[in-house]
Amino acid sequence: MNGKQVTAVRTLDCAHKLRVRYLLPRPLDRELLESLGPGELRVQAFSLKVQGARDHLALIDEERNLRAAGVDGEGLLTVTFGKLGREAHEGVVADFESLLVQLLGVPIALRE
Amino acid sequence: MTITIPFELDRAHRRVLIGGEPMLFHCHHYNTFLQRSIQDASYIESRPYLIGAAAEVAYAQLVRLFQSEGADDVNRRNELASELYRWAGFGTVDLSAIGESGGRVESKSSHYARAWSEKFGSSDEPVCLFPSGWIAGAAAAIHGKPLGSYSVQHTSCAAQPGKDTCLFEVQAGEANYDVFESVGAGEVGEHEQRPRPENNIDEEGIYEALTAMEIAGDKDGIIPAFGVYLTRHYANYYNRISFETLRAMEAAFGPDGYDATRPLFVEAGHVCAFNTFGGIMTSPEWNALIRPTCKTDADWVHGMVACVNTLGWGRWNVEELSPTEAVFSIQDDYESVGYRAMYGTPERPISFLAEGAAAGIMNLVYRGEVMSSPEFTPEYYDHLFRQTDVFRAEPAGQSVAMGDKATTIRVTRG
């Protein structure tokens, strides 16, 4: 993790919707993900089912067609903007990243 | 009112039954690729069974569900059927417009239309053949009539240029599609322990963890999961459309028909593996549940097989594994179970999807370095499946369809 920035790697999902992998300056946790709402926070407590597994966190925002997910305690947040047949709302990416910057207190650097 | 779709998790056979119909996960890539592959064989009249197979499964399932859930009136049946459609990831559909004499059904969100547009671009013709048949079968079940009591015309499709809604005209009268009687759950065998190389994967734990996840359609009836868009679809639909095609090809061309058809369906398995398995192995869910316990490349294969066992495809196992070769065994693979129930014993193995999927796993892990989270581009697909040293699958001497206890598939490189 780079404590001074969020590194964003932009790709497309298999439906050609924008998918961004954000390498965070600190581990992802429930509080951070929930703060990136609105949306529904879903927690899969895999650590209780498989020894050595980690918990999976997801924020599902159906209104904005946004899904953010990552591993509890790790530094990667994967966000898909839009879904099959539906584009993300205009401005959603900018709003999301603006909030992320505000919460983490560091800028986002786009990695090509 | 919240409607819960009742389902039966058959752990021993690694499958799910809903209203007596085995249902399983496949992605939008496979759904559209399979349909187009079948339709591309234009010398075969496939439309009647592409639609009829959907009517078959919808009717059989809904009749049983209506009975088990005490849905005696049309309104309740409409709600349950519409909710099932959304929950399964097919999109949204309002069945209340269908009366006893028929009606016009609108679907403002269709998995097939969206997937087709995304994958192939717009279509001159409507593409929602599965939804067409499903609606016709549902209409008969809802109104207490025999299967085949309604015809269906798919008059407009969101996959067509300038359209955003799918329209279906349902009319009481003779079916304009093939009418099949569903074989339901078919017959499965007694699970037996199969050999497996030592590995670090907790297959049972992964099965319990993933089957406990709610994987259901959102408000648009779309299921974004593991980096792809899934449907909880019907084993008997896939089997019917695949094997009617196979039988038509055999009828037309004799044994050459089998040899011409097998590569098409194996290729569909490659497409499925590339997208669905690739998506799974690069997903946050995998990073949380499975990746932390993977210590070797072989663990990635075993981990992916553990995931396959949650898809409803039957009970998969890896019996032999090296960087250049593998033997997979599958008890009650859904293709075999369906074929035997529908058509009896085939002369040759028919687990084509399984072959393609098995080759896909090996190509992703041992040639594709999926651990590095690659981009799933057409170029990457060609690299995995169209070079000279790729992994290829072939039947390894046993087939559930032909009476054995497991279907075995050997995957070798080069």
Side-chain angles (χ1 to χ4, degrees):
Chain A
M1 296 177 206
N2 182 336
K4 298 179 182 174
Q5 65 182 27
V6 174
T7 303
V9 180
R10 290 193 168 198
T11 62
L12 298 176
D13 80 349
C14 67
H16 297 100
K17 299 298 177 276
L18 177 64
R19 172 175 293 159
V20 186
R21 295 192 172 104
Y22 296 100
L23 302 172
L24 306 176
R26 71 163 178 85
L28 180 70
D29 58 30
R30 298 177 192 201
E31 186 183 352
L32 173 61
L33 191 57
E34 206 161 27
S35 299
L36 289 165
E40 177 193 354
L41 181 69
R42 293 185 192 169
V43 179
Q44 304 295 336
F46 292 149
S47 60
L48 300 180
K49 296 267 173 46
V50 173
Q51 190 171 12
R54 309 292 296 269
D55 292 346
H56 175 264
L57 307 177
L59 180 73
I60 314 295
D61 185 345
E62 289 206 37
E63 291 307 312
R64 297 188 297 167
N65 288 321
L66 177 159
R67 298 175 62 87
V71 179
D72 193 4
E74 293 190 0
L76 177 62
L77 178 65
T78 301
V79 185
T80 304
F81 298 93
K83 66 182 181 186
L84 185 67
R86 289 285 183 267
E87 300 299 330
H89 293 190
E90 196 175 322
V92 165
V93 179
D95 288 348
F96 182 87
E97 294 191 342
S98 175
L99 183 55
L100 191 61
V101 165
Q102 184 183 326
L103 289 171
L104 294 175
V106 295
I108 293 177
L110 185 62
R111 188 166 80 191
E112 298 296 334
Chain B
M1 180 177 62
T2 303
I3 298 174
T4 302
I5 304 300
F7 77 74
E8 175 192 338
L9 182 63
D10 178 356
R11 284 183 166 80
H13 302 100
R14 298 304 198 229
R15 64 177 190 168
V16 168
L17 296 174
I18 298 169
E21 285 291 323
M23 295 191 87
L24 47 81
F25 286 112
H26 263 300
C27 70
H28 72 288
H29 295 279
Y30 182 74
N31 288 337
T32 49
F33 187 89
L34 181 65
Q35 177 175 320
R36 195 176 77 161
S37 295
I38 293 171
Q39 289 187 286
D40 280 351
S42 54
Y43 35 86
I44 290 175
E45 189 59 39
S46 60
R47 186 183 180 88
Y49 59 79
L50 284 167
I51 296 174
E56 168 191 355
V57 293
Y59 179 82
Q61 181 183 59
L62 290 173
V63 164
R64 289 194 200 95
L65 277 180
F66 293 158
Q67 187 172 32
S68 68
E69 300 304 297
D72 296 329
D73 64 277
V74 168
N75 287 340
R76 171 84 174 127
R77 290 178 175 184
N78 282 333
E79 285 176 358
L80 180 53
S82 298
E83 174 61 10
L84 172 63
Y85 193 84
R86 182 203 65 79
W87 174 85
F90 299 128
T92 58
V93 67
D94 181 3
L95 298 170
S96 64
I98 306 178
E100 273 211 50
S101 60
R104 170 181 292 183
V105 176
E106 273 192 16
S107 171
K108 295 188 183 301
S109 173
S110 168
H111 167 89
Y112 273 85
R114 293 185 182 202
W116 194 283
S117 297
E118 176 53 47
K119 205 160 166 63
F120 304 129
S122 64
S123 173
D124 293 335
E125 298 296 323
V127 305
C128 293
L129 303 187
F130 168 80
S132 296
W134 195 94
I135 289 167
I142 287 167
H143 293 283
K145 298 190 185 302
L147 176 60
S149 297
Y150 292 88
S151 67
V152 61
Q153 299 289 345
H154 180 21
T155 54
S156 182
C157 184
Q160 293 176 292
K163 306 282 177 69
D164 63 4
T165 300
C166 295
L167 297 175
F168 306 87
E169 303 286 347
V170 178
Q171 191 164 11
E174 192 176 340
N176 57 341
Y177 44 84
D178 291 341
V179 177
F180 304 103
E181 184 175 347
S182 174
V183 298
E187 287 187 18
V188 290
E190 281 293 316
H191 165 63
E192 62 177 26
Q193 200 65 33
R194 303 283 298 197
R196 180 187 302 171
E198 218 170 287
N199 63 84
N200 299 294
I201 299 302
D202 179 358
E203 201 258 340
E204 288 292 335
I206 290 168
Y207 182 80
E208 292 303 325
L210 292 180
T211 53
M213 287 181 70
E214 186 191 356
I215 302 176
D218 63 12
K219 65 179 175 56
D220 294 319
I222 301 296
I223 305 178
F226 308 110
V228 291
Y229 297 88
L230 298 177
T231 48
R232 197 188 287 267
H233 216 310
Y234 299 87
N236 287 331
Y237 179 75
Y238 291 122
N239 288 329
R240 185 69 75 185
I241 66 173
S242 300
F243 299 135
E244 283 293 303
T245 301
L246 173 64
R247 288 160 64 82
M249 291 287 282
E250 289 175 323
F253 304 111
D256 289 345
Y258 176 98
D259 294 329
T261 306
R262 176 174 169 263
L264 297 177
F265 292 146
V266 171
E267 176 75 2
H270 292 163
V271 169
C272 171
F274 179 76
N275 291 287
T276 300
F277 296 172
I280 288 173
M281 286 195 276
T282 56
S283 69
E285 291 89 340
W286 176 278
N287 288 343
L289 177 61
I290 300 175
R291 189 167 192 155
T293 60
C294 288
K295 294 181 172 48
T296 65
D297 290 353
D299 285 339
W300 281 70
V301 175
H302 290 291
M304 189 58 239
V305 169
C307 290
V308 173
N309 281 326
T310 69
L311 298 178
W313 292 12
R315 191 156 190 156
W316 282 54
N317 184 49
V318 184
E319 298 202 353
E320 298 174 23
L321 181 60
S322 77
T324 56
E325 188 170 290
V327 174
F328 292 77
S329 65
I330 313 166
Q331 296 181 69
D332 302 309
D333 64 285
Y334 77 86
E335 294 169 280
S336 288
V337 172
Y339 190 101
R340 282 179 71 85
M342 291 175 180
Y343 307 109
T345 304
E347 292 186 2
R348 298 165 74 173
I350 47 74
S351 301
F352 307 126
L353 176 280
E355 288 184 44
I361 293 173
M362 294 297 283
N363 278 316
L364 280 163
V365 173
Y366 288 109
R367 291 192 65 256
E369 295 184 6
V370 68
M371 308 75 162
S372 63
S373 293
E375 293 303 311
F376 290 88
T377 61
E379 294 74 26
Y380 184 50
Y381 183 88
D382 287 347
H383 168 67
L384 288 190
F385 294 102
R386 295 197 172 135
Q387 306 301 313
T388 52
D389 68 335
V390 302
F391 284 93
R392 291 185 175 83
E394 57 182 6
Q398 295 179 46
S399 161
V400 169
M402 298 175 74
D404 296 307
K405 290 193 172 180
T407 293
T408 53
I409 296 169
R410 181 176 302 278
V411 183
T412 52
R413 185 169 181 168

